[in-house]
Amino acid sequence: IAVTTAAAAAASGGGSSPLPVVGEVPSGLPSVSLPSISTHLVYQLLKPALIVGVFSYLLTMSITRTFGLKHGYRADANQELVALGFANIVGGLTSGFPSSGSLSRSALVA
């Protein structure tokens, strides 16, 4: 990776890039704020958000139950729903990504 990066920097003429610069990357953490919401946007995003939310919850519960059986603990569906909802609310207020489980990543860790 380092060799390829150095070769690309040398080929670009030592600092000038053929790619346009979009702007500065903000430093620091994003501020906590409520997003601007319109009723039109809510109606437009309601159905996809419900589908993504249900799929995310089902995937998370599937992972939780799989590892619960493997490691000998009981999965509490209500606790998982509250934790997933809280994580996504905090992520939404801080411009974060929606959170969910990933069976392929979880299988690598365990």
Side-chain angles (χ1 to χ4, degrees), residues 35-88:
S36 60
I37 300 173
S38 67
T39 55
H40 174 70
L41 186 61
V42 169
Y43 288 127
Q44 190 176 9
L45 294 176
L46 188 61
K47 185 177 176 183
L50 286 173
I51 292 170
V52 169
V54 168
F55 182 76
S56 172
Y57 177 66
L58 291 175
L59 182 62
T60 301
M61 279 309 302
S62 173
I63 295 166
T64 303
R65 288 189 177 170
T66 300
F67 285 103
L69 290 173
K70 181 177 181 181
H71 297 290
Y73 61 86
R74 185 181 165 275
D76 184 4
N78 290 331
Q79 182 181 12
E80 289 296 320
L81 183 61
V82 169
L84 194 60
F86 183 74
N88 283 317

Side-chain angles (χ1 to χ4, degrees), residues 30-35 88-96:
S31 62
V32 177
S33 63
L34 291 174
N88 283 317
I89 288 171
V90 171
L93 293 175
T94 58
S95 303

